[in-house]
Structure formats: structure tokens, C-alpha cells
Amino acid sequence: MLSQEDNDLLTHSGPATPMGQYLRRFWMPVLLSRELPEPDCPPKKVTVLGEDLLAFRDTQGRIGLVDPVCPHRGANLYYGRNEECGLRCVFHGLKFDVDGHCVDIPIAPAGTNRERLRIKAYPTREAGGYVWAYMGPPQNIPEPPLLEFMTLPASHCYVSKKWQDCNWVQCLEGAIDTAHFSFLHMVVAQDEAQALAMLQHAAIGAQGEQNARIRWVRDDPMPRFEINETHVGLTIGGARRADDGQLYWRIAQFMQPNHALVPSAFPGENYHGQTFVPVDDRSCWIYTYTWNPDRPLTEQELERCRRGHTVHAEVDERYVPLRTKGNDYLIDREVQKKTSFTGIEGVSEQDAAIQDSQGEIADRTREHLFATDIGVVRFRRAMLQAVRALAERGEEPAARGFPRGYTMRSGGWVADQGKSLSDVMMERFGHVQGVVVPRGQEENA
Ligand code: FES
Ligand SMILES: [Fe+2]
């Protein structure tokens, strides 16, 4: 449970808010690269952290993320012509480059001062199939985080995004609350074939030993949690009873300020993660990535991702999920009775339904938390402390100094009882924080 003040601090991210200032200290994805597929293609409207912006790819392939308001008389540059390394306003022809410089004023004499016509432009980078932007103070730009999928050949990854109708924080809390798998994503079908068909839709179903893992998750709804701090966030390990007195660990990673890695993968399997980017305080984009460090994804795996299986959602051409708040996620009460716990198709859609249902901004003043919520509690505490440290004492977030600390994995493991989370991390990942050396850089490690 939080006070109203803390709930507001956690969830409001406009430019004038402490969380807004905090989030702006980090790079975050703002588009899929494929949304700007070629030089001089149509620009895209983008709203991030409550700011309406315009993204475009210029003739040389560089990406601009700019204020869309033309400084002449306020026309929107969205209608502009993307031509010869700049976006030209179609009202009277002023032209701007990716850095926001006004590079042509056809309606004024040569020598007119262009500097005062400069528009706001944020630095961008392309990596891992996303366009990343940094919206913080320009004098102090950190290295972008190096998530593992960003270090791999494109053939090893699939990236997507989906719209969600609620505040980003409750989506992230859903991702690190790994206790909910015993219910929200559970199968109730008695029929083996039916259960398998449903599991094949889910991340966990793509993998071997699915019946044992599902059984362990179903039969132990009260995982014991242990949490470690990392250089960039928190490792959240939940242990459930497995067979022969062993424990089944599902280990998620929270990485500052808005990334979470999924706890399902066993060695050799595909990894998944998500980054939650506020559009405004009542909606967000969820950027979702699947990667395999050891091999390219197979055509079948890619097809499953494209069709919105595993952790990806089934979306329309605007990246809005087909099963969404407006249609009650196409909940099927017959299916809910006989096959799946929710009657809603898709892990991503099950998550969305329940996160949206917490309200556009979840009211954390009325909660009653249990021991299984400890990951969420620790996340909130870490965020509130870091946001206050920046707002009150000017302390820059420590995670910014560890871009390589983001090259980490999450996943599952079966271990003997009596082991600490740190022991289990060493067994599963060979590193206490789950950090891996980027591909091709092993000799520099
Ligand atoms: S409003 Fe853009 S050039 Fe006049
Ligand atoms: Fe979930």
C-alpha cells in the first residue's frame, strides 16, 4: 500500500514531475525501426512521457525526433514533406533537419537569423530493431543500456510493441510479479490435448518439460521470494516446490527504470523481456523482445511471435491489440469454465486485461499486500528512493553508469533446497547478477 502522495510520485511522468525528470535521465525505445522503413519515408507521430513529438528518417537514414510545431505560425510538421535531409513545412516552406536546425527559409531574405527558429530535437539511436531516444539534460547524456538482444545479430531476435490503456507502472509491476502465473496464465483443461494447445500459445509452453513446470506452478501458488540488488535494478527470484524435494526457481529481472525480463527460460530456450514506455499517465507502449543468444530464431518461432503468441500480443496495423479493453478482451466464459483460467486468449492479453482492470492509474492506497508481493514492494521502494534522490539532492541514477550491466538474463532453474538466490544465480547463469558478456567480446571480458 502506498500513500496518495507516493502513488502520484510513482505514476506521473509529465515533464514537470519528479518521475518525469527521472525517466528522462534514461534512453528508452520510442518506435520500432520498421515504422520508419526507409529514407524520406512518411514521418510518425509519437507521444512519449506526455510530449507530442514527430519522428522522421531523413535522406541519409538518420532519425529525427522533434517538436512538431513549426516555429513560423504553428503548423504541424506531420503534414510536411520529408525531402533532401529535412522536413519541410507545407504551409510556407520552412525546413528543419534531424537536429532541429532550420536549414531553409524560402520566405525571408538570405542572412535571416535561423538559430531562433530552431525546434526542439532529442538525440536518437537505433539498436536492436528499435529507435531509442534520450529526453533528458543534453549536457549529461549516458550511454544507452546494452540489453542482450541489442548485442545479437537481427536473426536471433524478434521485437514488437503494443498499446496499453493504463499507466506504465502497473504493467511493469505485473511483469515482475511472478506469483500471478499460478492463476492468470493457468490452464484448467483436464483434456491433455486441449491443455497442450493452450500452453503452446504461451511462452512457457514452447519449451520442454512443460507439464512438470506447469504442474509445479499450479500446485504451489505461494512461491517464496528472495530479492537481490544488482547494478541496474533487482533480481527477483520466486521458488516453488518441484519434484524430489527440489525447488523450481523462476527468476525475473527489473532493470532501471522501465525494463523487465521474463522468468521462464531454461538454458537453450528463448529469452523474453519488455520495456514499458509512458505515452502519458493513462496509456503506454510496451516494447517486447524475444531473443536466443545461441542461434537464429526458427521460422516457426518467428511466425508464432508475429501472430501474437508467447509474450507478444496480437495487434492491428497501428499496434493496438485485437483483444482489448473496448471488447472485453473477447473473454469467452465457456473457455474460462473448461480450458483456461481467464477465458482470454494470449498471455499478453491476459496480462493486459488484468492490468487495465486495476484502473487507468491503479489506486495503491487501497491495497492489501501479501508476502508474494515483495518484488513489487521492493521495486516501488527502489523507484521512489531514486526519484527522490534526484529531485531533492540532484543525485543522478546509479544505473546510468552501467550500460553493460543491462546485458543480463532471467530464467528458470531447478535447484536443491537450502540454496540462496545468489547460489542459484551462479548455478543457472554463472554470474550472481545474471550478467553475460556480449557476443564477440568474450576475449575482452
Ligand atoms: S507555419 Fe510552417 S512555414 Fe509557415
Ligand atoms: Fe503475466
Side-chain angles (χ1 to χ4, degrees):
M1 183 173 136
L2 291 184
S3 65
Q4 188 63 51
E5 184 197 349
D6 279 357
N7 201 34
D8 292 346
L9 192 61
L10 193 64
T11 54
H12 295 181
S13 64
T17 64
M19 178 62 87
Q21 287 299 313
Y22 182 77
L23 292 174
R24 283 169 173 76
R25 295 309 209 267
F26 296 88
W27 288 84
M28 49 193 72
V30 295
L31 279 175
L32 298 164
S33 281
R34 59 182 183 264
E35 290 182 84
L36 295 174
E38 60 195 19
D40 294 333
C41 61
K44 294 289 286 189
K45 292 177 186 170
V46 184
T47 304
V48 198
L49 300 167
E51 291 187 46
D52 290 328
L53 301 167
L54 188 63
F56 69 103
R57 191 187 289 278
D58 78 1
T59 313
Q60 291 175 6
R62 296 175 306 178
I63 290 179
L65 182 66
V66 299
D67 181 349
V69 178
C70 178
H72 174 219
R73 278 171 48 201
N76 197 304
L77 294 169
Y78 172 70
Y79 300 102
R81 296 177 63 87
N82 190 2
E83 55 177 37
E84 292 166 64
C85 285
L87 203 53
R88 191 182 290 283
C89 180
V90 288
F91 204 178
H92 314 92
L94 267 65
K95 182 173 167 182
F96 304 89
D97 70 10
V98 291
D99 298 316
H101 295 292
C102 181
V103 292
D104 192 21
I105 316 177
I107 51 170
T112 301
N113 179 5
R114 293 176 182 171
E115 200 39 44
R116 68 192 181 90
L117 294 166
R118 191 168 176 182
I119 54 175
K120 181 170 68 184
Y122 291 120
T124 63
R125 299 248 186 112
E126 276 189 283
Y130 292 132
V131 177
W132 297 72
Y134 174 77
M135 296 166 64
Q139 66 279 13
N140 189 8
I141 306 182
E143 275 296 301
L146 194 66
L147 279 75
E148 188 179 29
F149 77 93
M150 297 160 73
T151 71
L152 298 171
S155 58
H156 291 229
C157 314
Y158 179 80
V159 301
S160 72
K161 73 179 214 181
K162 70 159 180 169
W163 175 266
Q164 185 143 339
D165 288 303
C166 67
N167 184 267
W168 71 281
V169 178
Q170 66 216 52
C171 304
L172 194 150
E173 288 179 347
I176 58 174
D177 156 31
T178 63
H180 78 256
F181 215 104
S182 296
F183 301 94
L184 186 64
H185 305 307
M186 202 32 70
V187 180
V188 294
Q190 298 299 325
D191 177 71
E192 187 73 7
Q194 233 180 7
L196 212 63
M198 201 207 127
L199 288 173
Q200 260 152 15
H201 207 298
I204 200 166
Q207 299 146 0
E209 296 184 72
Q210 53 200 5
N211 292 330
R213 285 193 224 168
I214 285 288
R215 178 165 51 77
W216 297 332
V217 172
R218 186 189 55 211
D219 292 351
D220 188 352
M222 209 191 322
R224 274 72 57 205
F225 280 89
E226 203 180 322
I227 293 167
N228 285 348
E229 287 182 14
T230 68
H231 286 121
V232 301
L234 299 169
T235 303
I236 300 157
R240 289 175 165 91
R241 286 185 304 274
D243 298 333
D244 307 321
Q246 290 191 298
L247 293 177
Y248 171 36
W249 285 82
R250 299 179 78 244
I251 302 164
Q253 299 274 16
F254 160 63
M255 301 184 289
Q256 287 278 1
N258 57 350
H259 317 276
L261 302 182
V262 171
S264 58
F266 271 48
E269 296 176 351
N270 295 340
Y271 292 82
H272 311 278
Q274 294 179 306
T275 301
F276 305 85
V277 180
V279 171
D280 52 30
D281 293 343
R282 292 164 194 279
S283 56
C284 62
W285 287 112
I286 303 182
Y287 292 87
T288 303
Y289 24 94
T290 292
W291 75 98
N292 193 306
D294 306 317
R295 60 166 174 81
L297 299 180
T298 66
E299 190 44 47
Q300 194 191 18
E301 287 168 336
L302 287 169
E303 188 50 27
R304 282 162 50 75
C305 291
R306 285 187 210 111
R307 289 195 1 239
H309 290 195
T310 75
V311 291
H312 301 272
E314 206 173 335
V315 296
D316 66 15
E317 65 291 343
R318 298 163 306 147
Y319 304 97
V320 175
L322 304 186
R323 296 181 288 286
T324 191
K325 192 159 131 184
N327 57 23
D328 275 336
Y329 313 88
L330 302 181
I331 185 170
D332 183 327
R333 299 293 186 180
E334 229 9 66
V335 171
Q336 185 172 33
K337 244 187 196 121
K338 299 191 180 128
T339 314
S340 77
F341 208 76
T342 57
I344 294 168
E345 192 181 334
V347 169
S348 175
E349 288 81 355
Q350 291 159 4
D351 283 328
I354 233 53
Q355 291 157 11
D356 290 346
S357 80
Q358 292 175 293
E360 287 180 318
I361 300 179
D363 182 355
R364 294 173 181 77
T365 67
R366 295 169 53 182
E367 294 174 333
H368 299 83
L369 301 181
F370 299 103
T372 54
D373 296 307
I374 187 68
V376 167
V377 170
R378 291 286 301 273
F379 155 75
R380 293 174 185 174
R381 192 184 302 161
M383 286 302 270
L384 290 170
Q385 271 174 5
V387 169
R388 287 203 165 97
L390 176 67
E392 292 165 13
R393 300 189 294 282
E395 280 173 29
E396 293 293 335
R400 294 184 0 138
F402 297 97
R404 289 284 176 82
Y406 287 79
T407 317
M408 58 164 52
R409 295 179 189 164
S410 58
W413 191 242
V414 177
D416 291 336
Q417 295 213 27
K419 300 232 158 111
S420 68
L421 175 58
S422 299
D423 295 337
V424 175
M425 292 300 286
M426 288 305 295
E427 274 186 26
R428 169 67 181 84
F429 302 103
H431 188 284
V432 72
Q433 296 189 14
V435 170
V436 291
V437 178
R439 222 169 108 102
Q441 296 179 16
E442 292 84 354
E443 65 280 5
N444 305 326

